[in-house]
């Protein structure tokens, strides 16, 4: 790996690395990893990364032949070159424009990468671990407790609402009522019962039997 102070250039031999180098956008090879592993909704999908990379290639090629792309210009030309839905007329026009300025649409398309290529680069060249995006175990358990309790509360509310509506429509007769919605997880080995929160917080039944082994 070649590094120079933080913003490294990469020395990988995969297509991502060699294309990035030939378009003088070496830093992007690491930027891809940052974008990929960003937390939560910020993280790019592999397809988005491929588009991001390819647009950077296109932009560099356009600038290289003296085109100064305006806002949205790169994205638009990229779409025309790659999207099967683009009108053939507009595509040819975009290709001609690039050729006129001295760059080749065919060569650009050859240099564009697929999401599989991006994935191999992240995996093999950068050893980026997709797992990094998994939250830590404590956060994960907390999130799952909240999810289950949220579902449980929703069920209670819905049941209450339905009974009340049917009661109002005089289809079901009942006085005041309460809805009990008690989710229990029962260990088959020792018959102890837990609420989802209890079981997850204590990390298991603890009677010594782990059915998964
Ligand atoms: Zn690579
Ligand atoms: Zn047990």
């Amino acid at each position: 790996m070649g590094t120079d102070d933080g913003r490294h250039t990469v020395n990988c031999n995969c297509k991502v690395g060699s294309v990035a180098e030939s378009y003088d956008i070496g830093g992007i090879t690491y930027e891809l990893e940052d974008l990929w592993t960003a937390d939560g909704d910020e993280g790019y999908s592999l397809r988005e990364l491929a588009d991001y990379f390819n647009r950077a290639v296109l932009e560099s090629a356009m600038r290289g032949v003296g085109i100064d792309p305006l806002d949205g210009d790169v994205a638009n030309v990229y779409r025309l070159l790659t999207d099967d839905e683009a009108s053939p007329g507009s595509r040819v026009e975009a290709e001609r424009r690039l050729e006129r300025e001295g760059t080749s649409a065919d060569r650009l398309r050859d240099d564009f990468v697929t999401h599989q290529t991006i994935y191999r680069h992240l995996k093999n060249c950068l050893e980026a671990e997709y797992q990094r995006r998994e939250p830590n175990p404590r956060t994960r358990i907390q999130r799952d407790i909240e999810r289950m309790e949220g579902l449980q509360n929703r069920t209670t509310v819905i049941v209450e609402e339905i009974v009340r509506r049917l009661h109002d429509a005089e289809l079901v007769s009942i006085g005041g009522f309460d809805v009990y919605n008690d989710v229990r997880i029962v260990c088959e080995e020792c018959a102890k019962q837990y609420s989802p929160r209890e079981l997850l917080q204590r990390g298991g039944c603890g009677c010594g039997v782990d059915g998964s082994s």
Side-chain angles (χ1 to χ4, degrees):
M1 294 240 187
T3 52
D4 50 37
D5 68 24
R7 215 61 225 164
H8 1 239
T9 50
V10 77
N11 288 324
C12 69
N13 294 320
C14 83
K15 186 176 176 186
V16 171
S18 56
V19 169
E21 201 186 324
S22 72
Y23 286 86
D24 209 15
I25 50 172
I28 199 174
T29 53
Y30 279 95
E31 200 184 343
L32 292 171
E33 183 184 12
D34 294 341
L35 292 169
W36 197 44
T37 53
D39 283 340
D41 295 340
E42 308 281 289
Y44 279 43
S45 71
L46 291 168
R47 266 170 223 282
E48 287 168 335
L49 289 176
D51 288 341
Y52 181 82
F53 179 87
N54 294 338
R55 281 197 297 263
V57 166
L58 176 60
E59 178 170 359
S60 169
M62 288 168 84
R63 290 192 190 284
V65 293
I67 305 173
D68 193 10
L70 302 170
D71 243 14
D73 209 9
V74 174
N76 189 39
V77 174
Y78 178 62
R79 193 182 56 79
L80 291 173
L81 291 184
T82 57
D83 188 348
D84 293 336
E85 310 275 289
S87 91
S90 314
R91 167 169 310 170
V92 169
E93 207 172 291
E95 287 172 355
R96 289 223 181 101
R97 176 179 166 209
L98 291 170
E99 316 273 335
R100 236 184 0 253
E101 300 294 341
T103 186
S104 150
D106 286 338
R107 185 177 151 220
L108 275 166
R109 269 193 291 253
D110 283 345
D111 287 340
F112 288 163
V113 299
T114 62
H115 67 280
Q116 291 99 331
T117 305
I118 295 278
Y119 182 74
R120 282 194 295 272
H121 167 72
L122 291 167
K123 272 298 183 204
N124 303 340
C125 305
L126 302 184
E127 296 174 59
E129 289 296 326
Y130 189 65
Q131 282 72 2
R132 262 195 236 166
R133 295 180 64 178
E134 279 293 311
N136 70 50
R138 194 195 291 276
T139 313
R140 182 169 171 186
I141 282 183
Q142 191 52 38
R143 199 185 57 195
D144 282 344
I145 288 174
E146 282 163 17
R147 229 177 103 213
M148 288 189 290
E149 292 184 345
L151 279 171
Q152 200 178 340
N153 290 341
R154 234 168 65 213
T155 308
T156 308
V157 169
I158 291 170
V159 169
E160 247 169 32
E161 229 176 71
I162 291 173
V163 173
R164 204 174 303 285
R165 242 184 274 138
L166 291 173
H167 172 262
D168 292 348
E170 295 179 2
L171 292 170
V172 167
S173 73
I174 186 169
F177 66 90
D178 278 322
V179 176
Y180 290 97
N181 174 17
D182 194 13
V183 175
R184 311 300 291 174
I185 298 159
V186 184
C187 173
E188 286 187 340
E189 294 304 322
C190 71
K192 270 196 212 129
Q193 300 192 7
Y194 304 94
S195 72
R197 173 181 287 272
E198 279 164 353
L199 183 75
L200 268 61
Q201 278 181 344
R202 59 186 287 152
C205 177
C207 67
V209 181
D210 183 350
S212 68
S213 60

